[in-house]
Amino acid sequence: MNELEIELDNIDPQDFFTNENISSLRSHFPKLKIIQRGDLFKVLGEKKSLNNFKKKFKNLTNYYLEFNSLNPTVIDEIIFNDISYNGKSKVSLILHGVGGKPILAKTKNQKLLVDKLNKKQLVFAIGPAGTGKTYTGIAIAVKALKQKEIKKIILTRPAVEAGENLGYLPGDLKEKLDPYMQPLYDALRDMIPVAKLNKLLSDKIIEIAPLAFMRGRTLDNAFVILDEAQNTTPAQMKMFLTRMGMNAKFMVTGDPGQVDLPKNIVSGLKDALTILKNKSDIGIVRLDDKDVMRHPIVKKIIDSYNKNGIRK
């Protein structure tokens, strides 16, 4: 059995080696015996496994030194997705979320999306599930709100599953909508403490509403995100895009391969991408399977389905 010994420099071992972090490391390397004593880390096992551990552990320490934070979620992302940190960050920090969690643009296309959102008033982010397009957009919106660049955030989706006719569902409007808007709430809860988020929602500084509720409004001083835009009709897309007011930033996200509209209805997202493709003041970022930041098996599932012609 081989042995690897690592001594930490410039890292607080009590902060770095929490029980949760150690448990996460052990779960990723079940064939290795991991022993921690103060700032000394000793690992026992086969040479190949030790070399792999050393590489991944170096990325974890570089991440900690750069962002002064480490938790099991970050450990999972770095190890599952083989993210490299070399002190010359290959990621872009957008903001710090709840508990100081760094919210990052981790891939080339995610960083391109951040750049486009910083420079243009209207940006389309196109890509499959798990590429971080909506999450990245919401992070930029929350940052803009915190820095008082805008006065409100508006997040909207076409409630296709309910046919945009929510009256038959039980409960008040919020209860009717919540199942369709849950991914947006999940992202916000990563970035804003629950009590503060509830107040922002109550004060309508952050609004989450179905697309139909955008009709007739002019949206000034707002960051507005239309999510799941592949499920809009061309008329709905035009209606949304023409809501833009002064000092507003609009973002449209979607996956043209996951259209839930009836077969005889053209997707407003596909239509808009064709009509607006040559407009220099409109940004279009296309994310792909390389940007998927979920468990590695998700990438394999997407690839397998795509190869079999199933994109929904």
Side-chain angles (χ1 to χ4, degrees):
M1 183 174 288
N2 296 283
E3 178 180 310
L4 172 67
E5 195 171 279
I6 302 171
E7 186 172 358
L8 298 181
D9 292 322
N10 302 316
I11 291 177
D12 180 354
Q14 289 186 333
D15 189 29
F16 189 88
F17 291 126
T18 65
N19 290 336
E20 293 81 5
N21 287 350
I22 291 291
S23 294
S24 180
L25 276 173
R26 286 175 174 151
S27 70
H28 286 294
F29 298 96
K31 295 182 180 180
L32 298 177
K33 184 176 182 180
I34 298 173
I35 305 167
Q36 181 255 327
R37 297 279 189 276
D39 59 1
L40 188 64
F41 211 54
K42 187 179 291 186
V43 189
L44 305 173
E46 294 181 358
K47 186 174 181 180
K48 183 177 179 181
S49 296
L50 288 175
N51 288 337
N52 183 40
F53 178 89
K54 185 177 181 180
K55 174 188 172 185
K56 299 294 176 62
F57 190 77
K58 182 65 174 174
N59 288 331
L60 294 175
T61 56
N62 284 343
Y63 178 98
Y64 180 89
L65 289 169
E66 187 165 357
F67 299 110
N68 198 33
S69 174
L70 187 71
N71 59 54
T73 300
V74 171
I75 292 172
D76 289 346
E77 289 183 349
I78 289 175
I79 294 176
F80 277 146
N81 298 295
D82 200 23
I83 301 173
S84 296
Y85 294 90
N86 57 10
K88 300 176 181 177
S89 181
K90 294 184 179 181
V91 302
S92 295
L93 177 67
I94 301 173
L95 78 160
H96 285 94
V98 175
K101 175 186 176 182
I103 307 297
L104 310 166
K106 300 170 184 174
T107 69
K108 180 180 178 181
N109 286 328
Q110 287 176 5
K111 290 200 291 183
L112 177 61
L113 178 55
V114 171
D115 183 61
K116 293 287 186 184
L117 286 169
N118 286 331
K119 292 179 179 178
K120 297 183 182 291
Q121 299 307 112
L122 173 59
V123 176
F124 287 81
I126 312 304
T131 52
K133 50 192 185 295
T134 303
Y135 193 86
T136 300
I138 291 176
I140 294 291
V142 170
K143 181 180 180 180
L145 184 65
K146 287 184 174 182
Q147 296 181 344
K148 301 187 185 304
E149 296 171 3
I150 55 168
K151 293 183 178 178
K152 69 188 314 179
I153 296 171
I154 300 173
L155 309 176
T156 184
R157 305 177 96 182
V160 169
E161 295 89 342
E164 283 285 341
N165 179 12
L166 303 165
Y168 70 91
L169 293 173
D172 60 19
L173 177 62
K174 183 179 184 301
E175 291 169 335
K176 295 174 193 288
L177 290 173
D178 276 356
Y180 309 103
M181 305 301 182
Q182 197 59 48
L184 307 180
Y185 285 109
D186 290 344
L188 287 168
R189 289 190 187 106
D190 265 4
M191 302 171 200
I192 304 173
V194 172
K196 185 174 182 180
L197 175 58
N198 288 340
K199 187 174 191 315
L200 292 172
L201 290 166
S202 175
D203 293 343
K204 295 191 178 299
I205 292 173
I206 296 180
E207 289 186 50
I208 301 179
L211 182 58
F213 279 56
M214 298 298 105
R215 191 174 303 278
R217 303 178 66 180
T218 299
L219 304 173
D220 298 318
N221 300 304
F223 198 120
V224 188
I225 299 176
L226 170 58
D227 193 33
E228 300 289 350
Q230 73 274 4
N231 290 328
T232 63
T233 65
Q236 287 174 322
M237 178 63 76
K238 180 183 176 183
M239 179 273 291
F240 172 78
L241 295 176
T242 54
R243 300 307 93 200
M244 183 182 287
M246 301 301 294
N247 189 40
K249 192 178 291 286
F250 273 40
M251 179 183 180
V252 178
T253 77
D255 178 4
Q258 288 191 337
V259 178
D260 296 315
L261 295 167
K263 290 183 179 180
N264 61 331
I265 297 180
V266 175
S267 167
L269 178 60
K270 292 181 180 179
D271 191 56
L273 290 172
T274 299
I275 294 171
L276 302 174
K277 64 181 178 181
N278 294 320
K279 305 297 181 183
S280 61
D281 50 352
I282 296 174
I284 299 176
V285 178
R286 297 185 183 275
L287 298 97
D288 56 34
D289 296 352
K290 296 185 183 67
D291 301 294
V292 173
M293 299 304 293
R294 295 177 179 170
H295 192 290
I297 198 170
V298 175
K299 296 182 183 181
K300 295 177 182 178
I301 290 169
I302 291 172
D303 185 54
S304 296
Y305 271 91
N306 289 345
K307 285 179 179 178
N308 284 277
I310 303 173
R311 292 193 52 82
K312 292 189 68 176

